[in-house]
Amino acid sequence: MTRTQLSNIVLAYDDHGSGLPLLLIHGYPLSRKLWAPQVAGLASAARVIAPDLRGFGESDAPEGPYTVDQLADDCAALLDDLGLREPVVVGGLSMGGYIALAFWRRHAARVAGLILAATRAGADSEAGKAGRDTAAATAREKGSDAIIEGMLPKMLAPSAYTERPDVVAEARRIMDGAPVPGIIGALLAMRDRPDSTALLAEITQPVLVIHGADDALIPPSEAEAMHRALPRARLALVPNAGHLLNLEQPARFNAEVRIFIESL
Ligand code: MLT
């Protein structure tokens, strides 16, 4: 892990392997540790760069609200800091996917390909926005544990909670200690993110859309809809995986990413 001072934030990140850079953006309320199976399994195929977003992991956690554009620009600033001006593969899981789409909107020329994992293109519904405000109030009043306890039962395939205690413990460990300013900042970024549905038809780079068949947070129909709207996408629906599919089925996830990278 390295920590680097960018123009307006200190970010922590992992950087392993060599070859085509693969920027991996974690979801909420997680950290770069989400990508440990990819850092270990893909560093022989790519240069894997996995930051802690502002507000999470070992990065600085200033008071929010944050925006998805700001979180995308933080990632672009990290690439600048690493001297990477050539196009990179940008992958994001869930909120990380919202940020990957924002990255494309703001820095399309820097994108060699996109990986959209367990995510959706649309904005929050009115009920969804209200839910973000409720969650932010919970975080403020009760702290991060209350948020984590609420999220954990929805993160994995239902069978994982009875059959895979190691994966449940790992998901919890990745969320543990998420800073309250980061949780609130990210909730408001998600609440106010723009609808990217119309953008999909303009994305001419190759895209891997990958989703857990048992995702209880974002239904696989969202991945199918993105796949239909994207000009050059491949869809991988991963069985026996929920929202954190890269953690639940790392071998399959990494194999799909490897095939995608080799195709670029
Ligand atoms: C995530 O996993 O990043 C979030 O739960 C996504 C969301 O709440 O929309």
Side-chain angles (χ1 to χ4, degrees):
M1 186 276 290
T2 309
R3 290 183 95 237
T4 188
Q5 171 74 60
L6 304 176
S7 63
N8 58 7
I9 190 83
V10 174
L11 289 192
Y13 63 96
D14 287 322
D15 181 1
H16 292 282
S18 59
L20 184 61
L22 169 63
L23 173 72
L24 292 177
I25 308 174
H26 65 78
Y28 160 93
L30 301 156
S31 76
R32 69 179 202 287
K33 290 185 190 140
L34 172 70
W35 299 116
Q38 283 63 52
V39 172
L42 291 170
S44 56
R47 177 174 174 186
V48 185
I49 300 162
D52 282 329
L53 293 167
R54 73 166 60 214
F56 293 95
E58 290 162 272
S59 290
D60 279 359
E63 293 293 327
Y66 310 156
T67 67
V68 289
D69 286 1
Q70 175 188 42
L71 295 164
D73 287 357
D74 286 346
C75 292
L78 174 62
L79 296 178
D80 289 343
D81 192 64
L82 294 170
L84 292 170
R85 295 302 306 180
E86 71 268 30
V88 306
V89 178
V90 179
L93 182 134
S94 198
M95 178 180 76
Y98 311 157
I99 297 165
L101 288 168
F103 188 101
W104 188 88
R105 200 171 57 245
R106 296 171 72 76
H107 310 284
R110 303 185 73 165
V111 178
L114 282 178
I115 300 170
L116 299 176
T119 194
R120 53 157 58 99
D124 276 6
S125 64
E126 285 312 311
K129 287 181 203 280
R132 304 292 190 197
D133 292 332
T134 306
T138 301
R140 214 173 278 120
E141 287 156 23
K142 301 190 178 151
S144 58
D145 278 356
I147 296 292
I148 292 165
E149 291 307 328
M151 291 295 290
L152 187 59
K154 297 182 266 188
M155 288 291 210
L156 305 171
S159 56
Y161 298 96
T162 49
E163 290 161 22
R164 302 188 67 188
D166 51 328
V167 178
V168 180
E170 180 61 9
R172 191 174 213 306
R173 197 179 68 82
I174 296 169
M175 292 191 279
D176 258 347
V180 169
I183 289 175
I184 295 173
L187 281 166
L188 303 189
M190 292 193 284
R191 180 192 67 187
D192 297 336
R193 76 186 188 280
D195 189 335
S196 296
T197 308
L199 206 71
L200 298 176
E202 293 170 31
I203 301 179
T204 52
Q205 291 95 332
V207 182
L208 171 62
V209 179
I210 183 163
H211 212 98
D214 305 327
D215 192 328
L217 267 173
I218 299 183
S221 57
E222 296 282 356
E224 287 159 357
M226 288 196 294
H227 176 240
R228 280 194 299 275
L230 286 157
R232 293 175 69 191
R234 172 185 156 75
L235 175 64
L237 274 185
V238 178
N240 301 316
H243 195 55
L244 302 186
L245 69 157
N246 67 304
L247 205 64
E248 300 176 71
Q249 298 298 342
R252 172 73 195 278
F253 188 94
N254 291 356
E256 292 291 346
V257 173
R258 232 169 228 278
I259 292 168
F260 180 68
I261 288 171
E262 281 163 12
S263 76
L264 294 176

